[in-house]
Amino acid sequence: MGSTEELVDYKKEADDDNKFTWVIKNFSSLPYDKVYSSPFVIGGCKWHLLAYPKGNKFNNSLSLYLVVDDSRSLPCGWKRFAQFSLTIVNQHTENLSQRGEKQHWFNQRNLGSGFTSMLPLPNLHAKHGGFLVNGEVKIVVEIDVLEVIGNFDVSEESEEENQPLKKIKLDNDDNDAVSIDFLNVASPVMESIDVNGFQVLPSQVESVKCIFERHPDFASRFRPKNRHLKSSYMNVLLGLIKTLCQLPEELSDDDLEEASVAVSYVEKGGFKLDWLEKKLAEVKAKKKKVEIGKARLQQTEEELHRLNQRCLDLKALLEKETADVSEANVPLSFDDVV
């Protein structure tokens, strides 16, 4: 077997600014346990994808992760809060594609995030399954960088992609200044819509209006005036809500811990989120209940399997004894006696 860390052949397809497509060729014959895509830049940050084509030590599934590239070059205090999705494309039927979505604080101690069980390998290798076609597996990643702390680690080659940075100061409750760099992208601002003083994207308008309708005073103590910072806070809040709308079993402990950190961060900016804290606690309780329930279900299923096997064994014994009785319970004929 070859090296466990190899950059495999790939091709980059025409994507949106926040999307990257990785096509892994000769997937079935890859000799590596672990493969990387070539680096790509989204949101002013250099990333790569990491895949385990032969499964991992935990299960027989393809594992897939988004990882910050060239971590040694990151400046001290570097952090990115991003919402991302990873999709294994079904090349026959797009609706059958396998997609996972989550949010994550990427930093120098936690450079990657993803899914341990993205797709069972038997499903991936199924002859007419649509995931492995002509020896190729297609993976699409979409990334929205919602929060930026620290300098950008890469610069784009094209002037169009290399957006200027705008540094601002956010005063926290302890009156300590926190330096934050935000990407000043002109197009989203031009296309944004004002909702109660917050510039949001058209797709976010209804959600933000709903938040204000149900919690009219949640932003009454919000201090920042900079529109980029306000949008950033609102994006984090919307991301938090989206996280809590996932199935509890799909949320990892890290996801919930990051959600707690994000709630505290947004509250320091002035949002009143007691209602969101309650929902976060509710989701944590549900996740714990699901984990306990699944453990009990597994125990019950194992016990049921043992009982079923015992029933089958008893049935086989009954049939054998019935046959023995039937064989013995036959009268002798005259010839047998004489």
Side-chain angles (χ1 to χ4, degrees):
M1 182 175 294
S3 170
T4 59
E5 300 184 13
E6 291 289 339
L7 178 68
V8 303
D9 190 17
Y10 84 105
K11 60 181 178 182
K12 171 72 168 64
E13 298 188 348
D15 289 327
D16 299 331
D17 290 341
N18 70 332
K19 185 185 296 185
F20 176 83
T21 299
W22 182 27
V23 178
I24 307 177
K25 300 179 180 179
N26 304 313
F27 186 87
S28 297
S29 59
L30 287 174
Y32 316 118
D33 295 328
K34 174 164 76 170
V35 293
Y36 294 108
S37 73
S38 286
F40 56 92
V41 176
I42 292 178
C45 181
K46 186 182 290 186
W47 315 85
H48 66 254
L49 296 178
L50 167 63
Y52 289 78
K54 301 180 184 299
N56 55 70
K57 62 182 180 180
F58 301 107
N59 53 53
N60 191 36
S61 297
L62 175 69
S63 298
L64 191 59
Y65 302 93
L66 173 66
V67 183
V68 177
D69 194 70
D70 195 14
S71 59
R72 291 172 296 181
S73 66
L74 298 179
C76 182
W78 185 97
K79 291 183 181 179
R80 298 292 183 270
F81 183 63
Q83 178 173 303
F84 69 94
S85 66
L86 296 170
T87 301
I88 303 178
V89 178
N90 189 296
Q91 300 173 59
H92 291 165
T93 307
E94 186 174 348
N95 291 338
L96 297 180
S97 298
Q98 295 296 304
R99 185 175 187 272
E101 181 177 334
K102 67 193 311 183
Q103 294 179 331
H104 185 73
W105 269 108
F106 294 88
N107 55 56
Q108 290 159 310
R109 293 184 300 175
N110 199 348
L111 292 166
S113 180
F115 304 92
T116 303
S117 303
M118 192 70 188
L119 181 65
L121 291 182
N123 296 2
L124 179 61
H125 289 276
K127 186 174 182 181
H128 302 293
F131 294 105
L132 181 59
V133 177
N134 296 325
E136 296 182 348
V137 171
K138 182 182 292 187
I139 297 169
V140 176
V141 57
E142 296 182 60
I143 308 172
D144 289 313
V145 178
L146 304 178
E147 190 73 21
V148 173
I149 299 177
N151 295 325
F152 282 94
D153 52 306
V154 295
S155 59
E156 297 286 1
E157 292 181 357
S158 71
E159 186 174 313
E160 183 178 21
E161 294 178 359
N162 187 18
Q163 302 294 339
L165 297 179
K166 186 171 185 179
K167 180 170 284 189
I168 59 180
K169 295 286 185 178
L170 168 64
D171 292 330
N172 61 21
D173 293 342
D174 298 324
N175 296 320
D176 294 327
V178 180
S179 178
I180 303 178
D181 291 326
F182 287 90
L183 185 62
N184 184 13
V185 183
S187 56
V189 175
M190 293 174 62
E191 298 174 359
S192 64
I193 298 173
D194 184 276
V195 178
N196 288 35
F198 290 86
Q199 295 296 321
V200 300
L201 298 176
S203 60
Q204 300 172 327
V205 170
E206 292 303 318
S207 298
V208 175
K209 284 184 177 179
C210 184
I211 296 173
F212 274 103
E213 288 173 2
R214 298 185 183 183
H215 309 281
D217 63 341
F218 89 98
S220 59
R221 297 181 301 179
F222 190 68
R223 298 187 298 272
K225 302 299 182 183
N226 181 279
R227 62 179 181 176
H228 302 293
L229 182 57
K230 293 178 71 174
S231 296
S232 180
Y233 272 108
M234 185 58 72
N235 282 330
V236 173
L237 176 59
L238 292 173
L240 280 167
I241 294 173
K242 193 169 185 178
T243 295
L244 297 184
C245 290
Q246 296 183 58
L247 289 173
E249 67 177 350
E250 293 179 352
L251 295 170
S252 67
D253 291 337
D254 287 342
D255 293 332
L256 295 176
E257 179 61 28
E258 289 169 6
S260 297
V261 172
V263 168
S264 298
Y265 173 75
V266 175
E267 284 182 326
K268 284 185 177 181
F271 281 159
K272 295 169 62 177
L273 298 180
D274 53 321
W275 49 277
L276 190 62
E277 287 183 328
K278 291 179 181 178
K279 291 300 178 182
L280 178 56
E282 181 181 324
V283 170
K284 288 181 178 180
K286 284 184 176 181
K287 175 178 170 56
K288 186 174 182 179
K289 186 175 182 179
V290 168
E291 290 175 343
I292 294 173
K294 289 180 73 173
R296 289 176 177 171
L297 280 173
Q298 184 175 353
Q299 293 175 355
T300 304
E301 288 175 354
E302 292 173 354
E303 181 64 23
L304 180 60
H305 176 74
R306 287 193 293 268
L307 291 173
N308 285 335
Q309 188 60 49
R310 178 60 176 161
C311 287
L312 291 174
D313 293 342
L314 289 172
K315 184 177 180 180
L317 180 60
L318 178 62
E319 291 174 351
K320 181 179 183 304
E321 291 181 346
T322 299
D324 290 344
V325 170
S326 298
E327 182 181 357
N329 192 29
V330 176
L332 295 175
S333 66
F334 178 83
D335 291 336
D336 292 331
V337 174
V338 175

